[in-house]
Amino acid sequence: MAAIVRLGSVCRRGVKPLFYQSTLLARPLVVPYNYQEQPYQLTAKIHASQALYADSASKAASLHWTAERVLSVLLLAMGPAAYFNPCPVVDYSLAAALTLHGHWGIGQVLTDYVHGDTKMKIASAGLFLLSTVTFAGLCYFNYNDVGICKAIALLWSK
Amino acid sequence: MALLLRTLARQGVCLSRPCFAQSVFYRHAAPMGTTAKDEMNKFWAKNSKLNRPMSPHLTIYKWSVPMVMSITFRGTGVGLSGAISAFALAALVLPESYPYYLDLIHSLSVGPYLIGLAKFGLAFPVSFHTYNGIRHLCWDLGKGFRIPEVYRTGYTVIGLSIITSLALAYL
């Protein structure tokens, strides 16, 4: 099939496009033919080379992304931990993980929908305040009241 | 073979195929002066200054299962986060202890069906957000992007969520 495709393109467009075909690519049958794409491609290529020079840019965003996933996995593990081994350690870990996961999650929502520097600053400040109060409240609950694990158990027993 | 290809590319023979010659082509191109964030802010500022109307999107685009699941994932996330914050706030503000308020709600004797419904209402967002979260983590590992897989995993998440929520509600 691939051979037929190659022969076909030789007959239609001459030999040169053949050199750009499947030998070095993984998928031999994909042969887009679009000479109108030129202006778009030049821009795309400049961006591609931008990436080559960007090694000095901050890795903060990338590290944040990874930290979000790590925290998600940790939170997943805390579910069974809370069920099979309820204790203050799990209570406080759950309080921290839930608050941080929620904080980062809402942060992403704000990044998606809030535009402009000042609006973003106000929204982020509000979120930070909310998360702080949430964590404080959960810790207060863990210390002065029954604790998160016990609270869910009690709620479900009713 | 590759050498021949690169020689041809350097002579600028065929510009219509981006393919793998990208990096070779434009090593000499200068990087952009502004950040993506600056560009984006300029874009939004210009739009509001010129009072440009926004193109219709939610009202015209056909809803699909992945779309609905995605926004539900976000909705459950925001909702659960809000509920946790409300709970924490209540813990700080309300004078009595948690068992007291629990007994108070219980003394209203709402009836088993409504209690079951409430439990389902609590369990479903948690289940759905958890299972779809696992689906997201699989995507982050690069797995399951093909469209049939997206739909298959999507239906699995929905099914598992309903089953888990029902099971939890009947506990």
Side-chain angles (χ1 to χ4, degrees):
Chain A
M1 180 66 191
I4 296 169
V5 170
R6 284 199 193 119
L7 270 176
S9 42
V10 170
C11 298
R12 248 184 305 130
R13 289 169 277 160
V15 164
K16 287 214 183 86
L18 240 195
F19 290 142
Y20 293 82
Q21 276 180 34
S22 54
T23 357
L24 298 173
L25 284 170
R27 266 182 276 157
L29 294 178
V30 177
V31 186
Y33 178 141
N34 192 351
Y35 287 113
Q36 275 86 24
E37 262 191 80
Q38 228 153 328
Y40 161 78
Q41 279 156 38
L42 288 173
T43 338
K45 277 161 190 160
I46 291 172
H47 282 286
S49 74
Q50 152 84 7
L52 289 175
Y53 288 91
D55 67 314
S56 58
S58 161
K59 285 187 77 182
S62 163
L63 289 172
H64 179 89
W65 187 92
T66 312
E68 283 180 331
R69 320 295 132 159
V70 168
L71 181 66
S72 302
V73 174
L74 256 117
L75 192 55
L76 264 174
M78 279 191 219
Y83 183 75
F84 292 111
N85 187 23
C87 66
V89 174
V90 174
D91 277 338
Y92 285 100
S93 310
L94 215 52
L98 279 171
T99 318
L100 191 56
H101 183 76
H103 180 77
W104 281 345
I106 307 272
Q108 293 291 353
V109 175
L110 290 180
T111 310
D112 277 350
Y113 300 139
V114 176
H115 306 292
D117 278 331
T118 36
K119 277 195 248 178
M120 191 61 192
K121 265 196 194 147
I122 299 167
S124 302
L127 175 64
F128 196 82
L129 185 67
L130 181 69
S131 298
T132 313
V133 171
T134 305
F135 186 59
L138 287 175
C139 287
Y140 178 86
F141 186 79
N142 280 335
Y143 191 78
N144 291 313
D145 216 317
V146 291
I148 297 179
C149 298
K150 189 77 184 144
I152 299 175
L154 282 174
L155 180 70
W156 231 252
S157 67
K158 296 291 173 185
Chain B
M1 176 70 196
L3 204 60
L4 175 65
L5 190 59
R6 261 180 279 154
T7 333
L8 284 171
R10 215 158 271 142
Q11 288 162 14
V13 164
C14 182
L15 285 174
S16 68
R17 290 286 323 267
C19 56
F20 38 79
Q22 254 177 331
S23 55
V24 180
F25 258 125
Y26 286 85
R27 215 155 257 176
H28 59 275
M32 308 227 300
T34 49
T35 64
K37 193 167 150 204
D38 291 333
E39 295 284 313
M40 206 169 75
N41 282 340
K42 283 205 298 209
F43 168 78
W44 287 108
K46 187 174 178 185
N47 278 347
S48 27
K49 193 183 81 172
L50 295 173
N51 231 356
R52 281 176 174 166
M54 194 184 259
S55 310
H57 45 307
L58 293 174
T59 44
I60 56 162
Y61 204 80
K62 183 178 179 186
W63 285 97
S64 62
V65 171
M67 248 172 102
V68 174
M69 288 189 70
S70 178
I71 192 61
T72 312
F73 184 61
R74 180 159 271 190
T76 49
V78 174
L80 287 168
S81 193
I84 291 173
S85 292
F87 177 79
L89 219 77
L92 284 170
V93 165
L94 294 175
E96 300 291 340
S97 71
Y98 178 77
Y100 172 84
Y101 290 110
L102 208 57
D103 289 330
L104 200 69
I105 298 170
H106 189 68
S107 68
L108 295 171
S109 22
V110 195
Y113 288 116
L114 249 84
I115 290 183
L117 200 68
K119 284 186 181 175
F120 185 84
L122 270 170
F124 185 77
V126 178
S127 313
F128 181 82
H129 194 84
T130 307
Y131 289 126
N132 208 30
I134 297 173
R135 187 164 163 243
H136 259 282
L137 289 171
C138 290
W139 287 336
D140 291 334
L141 289 169
K143 296 176 176 301
F145 273 110
R146 294 200 202 99
I147 294 296
E149 288 171 339
V150 170
Y151 276 85
R152 212 183 309 137
T153 51
Y155 290 130
T156 309
V157 162
I158 296 174
L160 276 174
S161 300
I162 296 178
I163 294 170
T164 310
S165 308
L166 283 171
L168 284 172
Y170 275 114
L171 255 181

